[in-house]
Amino acid sequence: MGALLIAFIVMYNPIRRNMGRLLLWCVAGFGFCMIGFGVSTNFWLSLALLVGSGAFDCVSVIIRLTILQTLTPENMKGRVSAVNNIFIGSSNEIGMFESGVAAKAMGVVPSVIFGGCMTVAVVGTISWLSKSLRRLQSVS
């Protein structure tokens, strides 16, 4: 529901500036939603956090695909798109396997919290290491 809502909002109000910073905040927001979902015992709060995670994920996908299509040189678009599709296509299966292993090793709730914490940690690391991404304003 969150992704659908954001898709309609972005369709009429495209993201035009601060794309890098917004991408990083949205991925971190997704991680924080997962942490909150992991610790939540309230159905409505859990539902709201899942809607929020979908909204954050939708924005990050839109920005990543926009960057891919606009900043990749024309002669490399096919190759870059192919590699991107392999990673995106396999990430769900690899993620499901990793989540199952983590849930078996740690328990379901700790594995969800751990995944959210790792997401936030990766965003912090990438933000610190990649000034160009952090400073990316627009791709037009």
Side-chain angles (χ1 to χ4, degrees), residues 87-100:
F87 278 103
I88 297 300
S90 64
S91 68
N92 290 336
E93 287 77 13
I94 293 169
M96 285 187 280
F97 174 75
E98 179 274 330
S99 295

Side-chain angles (χ1 to χ4, degrees), residues 1-7 22-38 44-62 64 112 115-116 119-120:
M1 291 180 66
L4 187 61
L5 175 67
I6 291 298
L22 182 60
L23 173 65
L24 293 167
W25 277 111
C26 284
V27 177
F30 176 84
F32 285 122
C33 283
M34 290 297 100
I35 294 167
F37 177 74
W44 295 109
L45 176 59
S46 297
L47 183 63
L49 289 165
L50 289 176
V51 170
S53 72
F56 284 126
D57 190 43
C58 183
V59 173
S60 73
V61 167
I62 290 169
R64 282 184 285 123
V112 172
T119 300
V120 173

Side-chain angles (χ1 to χ4, degrees), residues 5 11-12 14 19 22 26 28 45 53 56 60-61 65 67 71-72 93 97 100 110-111 113 134 139:
L5 175 67
M11 184 170 57
Y12 292 106
M19 292 183 95
L22 182 60
C26 284
L45 176 59
S53 72
F56 284 126
S60 73
V61 167
L65 291 176
I67 290 170
L71 297 182
T72 303
E93 287 77 13
F97 174 75
S111 70
I113 296 167
R134 198 173 58 237
V139 292

